[in-house]
Amino acid sequence: SLSPDGRMFVYTGVAADDPDLFLAATDDSSTATRIVDATGYDGGAVFSPDGSRIAWHGERPARDAAEGYAEKVKAGGVALSGLRVFVAGSQGQHPREVGNIGRFNLTPTFTPDSRKLVFASDYDEAESGDWDLYLIDPDGPVTTTGGPAVERITFARGRDAWPSFSVDGSYLLFVSSRSGGHDLYVARWQAD
């Protein structure tokens, strides 16, 4: 993902022990810096439109599964058993999980005002395997779920994921399997 000013990009690399996030300059003036270094998969990172933060999805395996994780990745991969959404500063500072939501939470993107996240989750449909899109304020007050309030914004059967906003912020584009294949959908976005 490219930073809004076009000077940096964040990506997933396996140059060290396991899939982590790295930050590099687009002009090749410096070497890449690992900005997230935690056992487990980290990927799908995006910058906020104002460039102040990044969000991504990641897995943090249980302690018993974490042992030998890097060797398992090198030997052919690890099946992901759950993903969570994380946020951090644009340089990876102060990373934290955004709530305790469902089993699979993936493909986060920031709303046009850089305040909230839209992401795919099985939060309401864990048993069916469906994913819908949800809205969350990562800085919102903690609720009984252990994290900020979550608002469901799509309701169709199938998997909705990979949300992205138009440049002017007036439309939300996402991929959905609701019609049998994987098709692109566009919806008008109304900021609150």
Side-chain angles (χ1 to χ4, degrees):
S1 177
L2 193 62
S3 63
D5 64 8
R7 298 176 60 196
M8 305 294 287
F9 64 98
V10 62
Y11 66 96
T12 300
V14 190
D17 301 336
D18 62 355
D20 286 319
L21 297 183
F22 291 79
L23 188 66
T26 54
D27 64 5
D28 203 25
S29 63
S30 64
T31 59
T33 302
R34 185 171 11 174
I35 60 171
V36 173
D37 184 7
T39 300
Y41 170 81
D42 292 291
V46 294
F47 281 95
S48 59
D50 67 5
S52 67
R53 298 194 284 181
I54 58 170
W56 70 96
H57 54 245
E59 180 175 55
R60 299 293 175 260
R63 182 171 284 159
D64 59 337
E67 189 172 315
Y69 190 88
E71 289 74 27
K72 292 174 190 171
V73 170
K74 291 176 186 172
V78 175
L80 298 175
S81 60
L83 291 170
R84 304 175 205 165
V85 172
F86 294 85
V87 295
S90 62
Q91 304 288 310
Q93 64 274 36
H94 312 295
R96 63 185 169 87
E97 182 181 347
V98 179
N100 181 13
I101 310 155
R103 185 170 159 208
F104 280 97
N105 303 289
L106 59 155
T107 64
T109 193
F110 285 92
T111 55
D113 63 6
S114 299
R115 287 184 36 236
K116 296 181 180 181
L117 293 169
V118 175
F119 64 99
S121 180
D122 65 352
Y123 182 59
D124 291 315
E125 302 286 345
E127 298 304 316
S128 71
D130 284 354
W131 300 341
D132 284 292
L133 297 182
Y134 292 82
L135 181 68
I136 192 168
D137 179 349
D139 302 317
V142 175
T143 65
T144 57
T145 64
V150 179
E151 179 183 352
R152 186 173 175 178
I153 59 175
T154 62
F155 295 86
R157 283 280 179 224
R159 291 187 170 182
D160 297 341
W162 298 280
S164 182
F165 284 92
S166 61
V167 175
D168 67 0
S170 60
Y171 292 94
L172 176 67
L173 172 77
F174 61 97
V175 175
S176 180
S177 66
R178 62 183 65 190
S179 62
H182 285 92
D183 299 313
L184 294 175
Y185 287 81
V186 177
R188 183 169 291 283
W189 182 256
Q190 292 215 255
D192 53 349

